[in-house]
Amino acid sequence: MASKRELEDIVQRQTAALKSQMDRIAELEAELARLNGVISGDCDALQTLQRIYTDPANPVSVIMKAAGEAVAYERAKPPSVAINAGVSLYDVLERKRLERFQAKDIDAKPPAASAN
């Protein structure tokens, strides 16, 4: 038969194992509730990313990745201005070059006539 000390040791180990299992069950129930919330539509992708990057228990790399993905949805991009007048850059530059060339021809003085 086991001694009193051995029985107390067994009870202590079983109590610790039971507590560990109860803690794990609580974690799994919380995860189940979270997943059921996602499935039922209580949470969207942005909220999930926000939850990830605001949780200090996550590693910095996970926080940075979640924040990087979420920023496009949290902050509007500045409007881009694109003007397309139907003229290519080459055409504009070529026209300017020709205008300068013609201006030089007009401003040029005729050669001086030699006196005979």
Side-chain angles (χ1 to χ4, degrees), residues 5-113:
R5 179 72 184 137
E6 291 171 337
L7 290 175
E8 287 174 351
D9 187 45
I10 291 171
V11 169
Q12 186 178 21
R13 285 186 289 149
Q14 288 176 340
T15 303
L18 183 60
K19 183 181 179 330
S20 174
Q21 291 299 312
M22 290 174 69
D23 291 345
R24 180 67 179 143
I25 289 169
E27 289 174 12
L28 292 172
E29 286 174 341
E31 178 69 5
L32 180 62
R34 186 187 71 78
L35 291 172
N36 282 333
V38 171
I39 291 169
S40 67
D42 295 343
C43 181
D44 62 10
L46 178 58
Q47 290 171 329
T48 301
L49 290 170
Q50 290 169 333
R51 187 178 305 125
I52 291 169
Y53 76 72
T54 57
D55 186 355
N58 287 328
V60 174
S61 61
V62 171
I63 291 171
M64 294 300 294
K65 186 169 184 174
E69 293 293 327
V71 73
Y73 300 99
E74 293 178 334
R75 304 282 185 261
K77 291 181 181 178
S80 62
V81 179
I83 300 174
N84 184 0
V87 180
S88 70
L89 178 61
Y90 173 80
D91 293 337
V92 171
L93 294 174
E94 185 65 14
R95 184 171 12 106
K96 290 289 184 186
R97 187 187 69 79
L98 290 173
E99 287 172 2
R100 276 187 271 140
F101 181 72
Q102 289 172 351
K104 285 182 183 178
D105 286 346
I106 293 172
D107 290 341
K109 295 181 181 177

